[in-house]
Amino acid sequence: MTTSQPTISTNQTPAGNAMIELTNVGKAYRTDTIETLALQKMNLTVPSGEFLSIMGPSGCGKSTLLNIMGLIDEPSEGTVSLAGQRIEGYNGNAIARFRNEQLGFIFQSFHLINDLSVVDNVELPLLYRRMSGSERKRLSLEALARVGLSNRATHFPNQLSGGQKQRVAIARAIVGKPNIILADEPTGNLDSHMGDEIMDILLKLNEELGTTIVMVTHDERMAKKTHRLVRLSDGERVS
Amino acid sequence: MFSHLLKLMWNKRRANSLLFLEILLAFIVLFGVLGFCFFNLDRYNSPLGFEYENTWQVELDIPDDLDSTGNHQLQESILREIGSLPDVEDVAFLGPVTPFGGSTWRSGGEHNGQNISAMIMFPDEHYAETAKLNIREGRWFVAEDRIAKTATMVVNKAFLERYGSPGGSLIDTIMVYNGIDRKIIGITSDFKYHSNFARNEPLVFLFDRYLDEAEDPLEYLTVRVTPSAPASLEEDIYKRVALLTKSPDVTINRLANERVQANQPITIPMTIMVIISGFLLINIALGLFGVLFTQINRRRSEIGLRKAMGATGGEVTRQFILETLIVTLGGLLIGTFFAIQVPLLDLLPIDDKFFYWGILGSIVIILTIVMICALIPSRLASRLHPADVLHEG
Ligand SMILES: Nc1ncnc2c1ncn2[C@@H]1O[C@H](COP(=O)(O)OP(=O)(O)O)[C@@H](O)[C@H]1O
Ligand SMILES: [Mg+2]
């Protein structure tokens, strides 16, 4: 397969292809009084299969960068290409579909839905796909097994520890077999032991499934385990 | 998606119970009100069967010392005198039972072994013309019926339907009614006189009041006037009647006003009920609005999350509408379960169809309101940007 447009079933894109490509991306937030430049002249290419970490002081634009890669925020300037496709028109259903099939998100504060059981939380991305209920359930349990939480499927989020919650969030991010996982400080709310657990799972995903991962972190130790580190300062790349 | 939302709503059942109860309560109230309205509107739909516009009813006092011939002569002169006034179109006498008067006479009889029960009115031979009764079969009374060998009577359609054989006619049938043999000479269309909301029941017009000296004379005059009749006509009628009866006891009422008053025991509670349930529905609507807006505010991160996971705006809108619908349908289902017991167990002596209409009407009204109220907040939710709501320090 040499196509640059990966499908859901085969997430092994040829190594070396650019999975994420940002060209001259800038982002300005305008409020009534001030304009904040959260990101400027950002050029960044993430090859398929890479595990990239991003570091930088608070407020330097890391989350903004991740949101732009994840197509949940629109750049003020510049272009974004994902899996070989240049992204245009941020409000259509096609973007939603693309997010659903290509992207998985992991957040610092987990963002689980407390009124849904663990397995129902995990199947969330699959709800926006044409699929039978039993197939959804099967894939969700499979994803839970991958993060070692099979025995917690019917629990509710408030019955879980922080590390377990983040593992549920990872299962949710991978259940749709996306090509890209974007993790915004996934270990930020966890102690170092749980943080290591989460990091091990992400490393294994990257290794075994070849999933491209971009992770924002404050922890040099975590960053050292990834393929490459990009540092930001005041919305600009400094390395 | 539906079963997912069903699960979500079930897990949030505590939070949803208030809305559920509100819907249930609204349904029960609305069911009662609509049942009451449908029942009465159905009765309203069956026509009175007589003219009440431009029709005045004159209550007069015939002197007690007259014999039946004297009565008759006095009544004839009253008819002549009032009938000759300009702007008076028709005049007739009527017995103590009058349209919208509130009183009922009932008597029984027997025909082919079947017991007969019907209301009675005592009109004269001019009444059908004056009140514009519709005679569907046979004829109205004529003066000669007074001295006929067999007493006569005219019945209404409800009488025919109750006591006639299906498809057959009752004309010329002789039956015992109110004590003597009587021949049915005419059948009117629908006729009821208590109010528009009265039941359509068997009624018999009897013509023999003059014959029995023990009975009181007919003391109500029905006067149909032209639409342009001046107010002074009332004065003229009063003077002439008072002069002829040698009694100032003359009261003139307009039947159109009497009708409105006779309907009030139903129209007033019906209006109050409709207003109260209207407010109830507005309350529900506002409550729903509030609940949905706060829910959506509290669930901003969930909405952002779902959008980040690939939900389109339309899917988010649909989710919130479906969620509201699930709770609403829950309330309606339980409500219907209770409401349907009324016809199933025959709790009230009313035709079942009104309860089914009430259930159907309540469901339609509540669903419509809920859908309208759910649409706006749900559309709002669908416009949230995931980056804004998922933003973390
Ligand atoms: N929605 C927003 N509106 C206005 N300013 C924002 C918004 N999101 C982020 N910013 C600003 O952009 C800058 C970068 O934010 P962010 O990307 O969240 O930083 P980081 O994740 O590195 O801490 C900050 O100055 C922040 O205040
Ligand atoms: Mg951040």
Side-chain angles (χ1 to χ4, degrees), chain B residues 309-320:
Chain B
M309 304 280 133
T312 60
E315 278 162 335
V316 171
T317 304
R318 206 162 338 130
Q319 171 185 348
F320 279 90

Side-chain angles (χ1 to χ4, degrees), chain A residues 101-116:
Chain A
E101 288 169 0
Q102 302 284 349
L103 292 156
F105 293 92
I106 302 168
F107 309 94
Q108 178 176 358
S109 53
F110 324 129
H111 282 307
L112 299 180
I113 297 174
N114 285 324
D115 291 308
L116 287 176

Side-chain angles (χ1 to χ4, degrees), chain B residues 232-304:
Chain B
S232 62
L233 179 58
E234 197 172 322
E235 181 93 28
D236 289 347
I237 292 175
Y238 177 87
K239 278 185 190 151
R240 283 183 196 232
V241 171
L243 204 67
L244 284 164
T245 58
K246 302 187 185 70
S247 160
D249 272 351
V250 181
T251 318
I252 303 180
N253 289 312
R254 283 168 169 73
L255 271 193
N257 298 345
E258 299 287 295
R259 182 185 75 101
V260 171
Q261 268 183 30
N263 285 342
Q264 276 171 352
I266 299 295
T267 52
I268 289 177
M270 189 147 44
T271 311
I272 292 173
M273 283 185 193
V274 167
I275 290 173
I276 289 178
S277 34
F279 275 116
L280 187 72
L281 290 176
I282 291 174
N283 207 31
I284 299 269
L286 291 179
L288 206 65
F289 244 65
V291 166
L292 285 174
F293 272 118
T294 38
Q295 278 227 7
I296 283 162
N297 237 338
R298 228 181 276 149
R299 294 167 69 186
R300 285 164 70 87
S301 75
E302 178 191 332
I303 296 162

Side-chain angles (χ1 to χ4, degrees), chain A residues 58-59 62-64 108 184-185 216, chain B residues 391-393:
Chain A
S58 193
K62 304 182 296 294
S63 294
T64 304
Q108 178 176 358
D184 197 349
E185 302 187 38
V216 170
Chain B
H391 193 262
E392 309 173 293

Side-chain angles (χ1 to χ4, degrees), chain A residues 9 16 27 30 54 64 70 103 107 111 118-119 126 141-142 144 173 188 200 205 208-209 219 222:
Chain A
S9 53
K27 177 74 186 179
R30 282 180 194 84
I54 297 173
T64 304
L103 292 156
F107 309 94
H111 282 307
V118 163
V119 66
L126 303 182
L141 290 174
E142 196 180 291
L144 274 176
D200 287 344
L205 276 176
E208 291 178 3
L209 301 178
D219 192 334
M222 304 288 176

Side-chain angles (χ1 to χ4, degrees), chain B residues 64-287:
Chain B
D64 294 338
D65 51 2
L66 288 177
D67 62 5
S68 66
T69 322
N71 270 343
H72 194 179
Q73 278 167 358
L74 176 56
Q75 292 186 323
E76 286 299 316
S77 38
I78 291 173
L79 289 175
R80 236 187 349 263
E81 286 248 350
I82 302 301
S84 64
L85 285 172
D87 284 311
V88 169
E89 297 197 319
D90 273 305
V91 196
F93 266 102
L94 200 60
V97 177
T98 54
F100 313 127
S103 63
T104 309
W105 277 35
R106 209 176 264 287
S107 189
E110 190 252 295
H111 174 54
N112 288 345
Q114 186 185 15
N115 277 327
I116 286 175
S117 167
M119 302 187 296
I120 316 178
M121 274 191 127
F122 303 95
D124 70 2
E125 67 265 39
H126 310 290
Y127 185 70
E129 181 73 24
T130 308
K132 293 188 173 170
L133 296 196
N134 184 25
I135 312 293
R136 49 178 277 162
E137 219 184 323
R139 61 172 178 84
W140 187 248
F141 304 109
V142 291
E144 288 74 43
D145 289 325
R146 234 174 247 134
I147 48 166
K149 251 199 344 264
T150 313
T152 53
M153 64 185 193
V154 172
V155 302
N156 72 349
K157 187 174 141 204
F159 187 99
L160 170 70
E161 283 166 354
R162 175 87 57 90
Y163 300 117
S165 51
S169 173
L170 279 173
I171 291 291
D172 290 340
T173 306
I174 294 175
M175 58 175 74
V176 181
Y177 183 77
N178 201 22
I180 56 169
D181 270 353
R182 294 166 197 275
K183 187 166 80 173
I184 295 176
I185 56 164
I187 298 169
T188 70
S189 299
D190 282 332
F191 182 93
K192 60 180 187 184
Y193 66 88
H194 285 109
S195 81
N196 283 105
F197 299 105
R199 193 148 63 99
N200 205 341
E201 28 176 352
L203 183 140
V204 171
F205 295 98
L206 296 187
F207 193 50
D208 50 358
R209 294 276 294 169
Y210 295 111
L211 302 177
D212 189 344
E213 291 193 33
E215 303 273 15
D216 297 325
L218 306 183
E219 289 188 311
Y220 288 86
L221 200 59
T222 303
V223 185
R224 186 155 47 76
V225 302
T226 60
S228 55
S232 62
L233 179 58
E234 197 172 322
E235 181 93 28
D236 289 347
I237 292 175
Y238 177 87
K239 278 185 190 151
R240 283 183 196 232
V241 171
L243 204 67
L244 284 164
T245 58
K246 302 187 185 70
S247 160
D249 272 351
V250 181
T251 318
I252 303 180
N253 289 312
R254 283 168 169 73
L255 271 193
N257 298 345
E258 299 287 295
R259 182 185 75 101
V260 171
Q261 268 183 30
N263 285 342
Q264 276 171 352
I266 299 295
T267 52
I268 289 177
M270 189 147 44
T271 311
I272 292 173
M273 283 185 193
V274 167
I275 290 173
I276 289 178
S277 34
F279 275 116
L280 187 72
L281 290 176
I282 291 174
N283 207 31
I284 299 269
L286 291 179

